[in-house]
Structure formats: C-alpha cells, structure tokens
Amino acid sequence: MAKTSPVEFINQVKAETAKVVWPTRKETVMTAVMVVIMASLLGIFFFGVDSIFDAIVQYLLSLAG
C-alpha cells in the first residue's frame, strides 16, 4: 500500500469534507425533538411493563409467604 504524505492526507480530508451535506438547523432540531419524544415513549412503555412484572412477582411472593 502506498504511503500518503501528511500534506496529501490533509488535502484529501479537505476534499472529502467539502462533499459532506450538513443538515440544516431545522432538520437538526426536528431530529432532536423526535429522539426526545421516542425516548420518552419508550421510557413510559418500559416503566409500565416493569410495573406489571413487579405486580406479578409480588403476587407470587405473597402466595409463597
């Protein structure tokens, strides 16, 4: 494999960075809002599932005691 000089590497990095399509502020905010909403919904869902399992385990333990 051919060695790349540091200057050539930096030039390649600049060329590749110029090709990147960065998201707009609106896209970034909308994505962040969607992440917060989905994380909240999943948190509520798993809290509910955990509460149901807790109730089942507590009931089964009360039968054994």
Side-chain angles (χ1 to χ4, degrees), residues 6-29:
V7 174
E8 185 179 349
F9 176 76
I10 291 172
N11 289 334
Q12 290 174 356
V13 169
K14 285 181 183 178
E16 290 299 318
T17 305
K19 296 177 187 177
V20 174
V21 179
W22 298 101
T24 63
R25 178 176 293 275
K26 182 179 178 183
E27 290 172 334
T28 304
V29 169

Side-chain angles (χ1 to χ4, degrees), residues 38-65:
M38 289 304 296
S40 299
L41 289 174
L42 284 170
I44 292 167
F45 171 76
F46 285 116
F47 176 76
V49 170
D50 185 55
S51 297
I52 291 169
F53 281 128
D54 181 53
I56 292 169
V57 169
Q58 292 299 325
Y59 174 72
L60 292 174
L61 289 174
S62 72
L63 291 177

